[in-house]
Amino acid sequence: MARIRYGARTAAEITAARTASSRLPEIWSTGVVAVWESAPDAVAAVLPPPLEPTGRPLVRATISKVELPGYPLGAGSVAVAAAHRSVEGWYPLVMPMTHERALTGGREVFGEPKKLGEVTVDRDGPVVRAALARHGIAFVEVRGAVSGPLPAPEPIRKTDFYFKFLPAVNGSGLDLDPVLVHCLRHEKVRRLERITGEVVLRESMYDPVADLPVHTLVELTLGEKTTDQQGRVVERVSAESLLPYIHQRYDDPQQLLDGPPERSA
C-alpha cells in the first residue's frame, strides 16, 4: 500500500524534522529601518493592556529582503514602543510577509500579526526606496539616498510583545483567555549605512499606520543583519481586555463572527 501522506508521521520523522529546524545557519537580511517620534496619544491608544507607553512615543518600520536559497522572502513590520512591567520593547501592529510559510509559523507559534503583502527594498547606486504594501496601497514608503557608513553596533537583545489567541468557535469573543508572549530577539549587524530621506505614510483602511504620524525622524538606516528569536509566555490576559483591540489582526473584523450558524435539530 502506498504511503498516505496525510497519515501520522513516525517518531523518528518528527525528531528528524525538529533537529533539522534547530540547525539552521545564520540568515542575513538587507533592509531599511525607520524610527520616528509620533503623537503620544496615538501610540498609547493602540496598546492593549497590560502593555503601556514608554517615555517616548516611538514608531519603528522595518522593511527587509532575505535571500533564502530558492526562496527569496520579503518581510516587514510596523511597531510602537511599549513596556510590560519593567521590560521595554516593541508591539508590532502589522507584519507583512511575501510568503505563506513565514506567515503561518509566526502567527501560530508566537501570535505575530503577520499578513500576506508586498515588500520592496530597492537600491540603485546611492538611491534607496523601500515600501510595505497591501491591497495595492504602499502604506509605508521610505525614499532617500545613502549618505555614508555607520559603525556596526554591538550585538543586542530586543523584545517584541505579541498576544496569542483564538476566536471562539461560536463566533462570540475568544475560546480562551489570550497569552502575552515576550519574543526575545538576538540581533547582529555586519553593515550599516545612513540614509538621508523621508518616510511617507499613506492612508489605508486595512493598515491605518497613517494614524501614527511622523513628527520627528529619529533614525533612517540601511543595513545587513541576522536575528534569532525565542518566545515565552509570561502571563494570561483577560479576553475582555483584549477584545477591543483584536480588529488590529484582521482586515475585516467581521471575520471574528464567521463561525457556523446555529441550526435547529
Side-chain angles (χ1 to χ4, degrees):
M1 175 180 175
R3 180 173 184 179
I4 306 303
R5 287 168 291 177
Y6 275 127
R9 289 187 173 183
T10 67
E13 288 172 322
I14 293 172
T15 299
R18 190 174 296 149
T19 301
S21 65
S22 68
R23 293 177 179 174
L24 290 174
E26 288 186 340
I27 299 173
W28 292 85
S29 65
T30 300
V32 169
V33 176
V35 179
W36 64 90
E37 192 168 294
S38 192
D41 290 348
V43 171
V46 303
L47 293 174
L51 300 183
E52 297 179 338
T54 63
R56 197 174 182 190
L58 296 178
V59 183
R60 181 192 67 191
T62 61
I63 310 170
S64 302
K65 61 180 181 180
V66 189
E67 296 298 338
L68 297 174
Y71 193 79
L73 171 69
S77 74
V78 178
V80 298
H84 177 232
R85 300 174 185 160
S86 61
V87 178
E88 292 196 359
W90 297 91
Y91 173 61
L93 297 167
V94 61
M95 301 176 71
M97 300 284 140
T98 57
H99 292 296
E100 185 179 6
R101 183 176 180 181
L103 180 90
T104 304
R107 287 177 68 100
E108 295 186 3
V109 177
F110 295 103
E112 295 173 330
K114 289 184 173 180
K115 299 178 180 181
L116 285 174
E118 300 172 18
V119 180
T120 303
V121 181
D122 291 327
R123 179 174 183 175
D124 184 4
V127 178
V128 176
R129 178 187 177 271
L132 301 176
R134 299 181 66 251
H135 301 287
I137 302 169
F139 59 92
V140 177
E141 183 178 359
V142 173
R143 302 185 298 216
V146 172
S147 54
L150 292 168
E154 293 295 319
I156 190 173
R157 188 180 81 168
K158 298 180 178 179
T159 302
D160 281 353
F161 304 116
Y162 304 123
F163 292 94
K164 186 175 180 179
F165 61 86
L166 287 173
V169 172
N170 65 6
S172 177
L174 305 177
D175 270 333
L176 299 168
D177 283 340
V179 293
L180 175 59
V181 175
H182 284 196
C183 185
L184 306 179
R185 301 180 183 275
H186 297 89
E187 180 180 286
K188 293 191 294 185
V189 178
R190 67 184 179 187
R191 183 178 180 185
L192 194 64
E193 296 174 287
R194 181 186 298 108
I195 296 175
T196 300
E198 63 177 341
V199 176
V200 178
L201 305 180
R202 294 189 178 89
E203 174 58 33
S204 169
M205 64 179 290
Y206 305 104
D207 305 289
V209 298
D211 291 348
L212 302 166
V214 181
H215 285 181
T216 303
L217 192 56
V218 177
E219 175 187 344
L220 195 56
T221 59
L222 175 68
E224 296 178 7
K225 68 180 180 181
T226 184
T227 306
D228 62 45
Q229 66 183 47
Q230 293 180 325
R232 64 185 182 95
V233 173
V234 293
E235 68 174 86
R236 283 201 175 270
V237 300
S238 72
E240 289 76 14
S241 68
L242 190 62
L243 278 172
Y245 298 89
I246 58 175
H247 65 282
Q248 297 172 343
R249 193 69 59 89
Y250 302 96
D251 287 351
D252 179 6
Q254 188 66 24
Q255 289 176 256
L256 295 176
L257 307 178
D258 283 349
E262 294 183 2
R263 293 184 173 89
S264 58

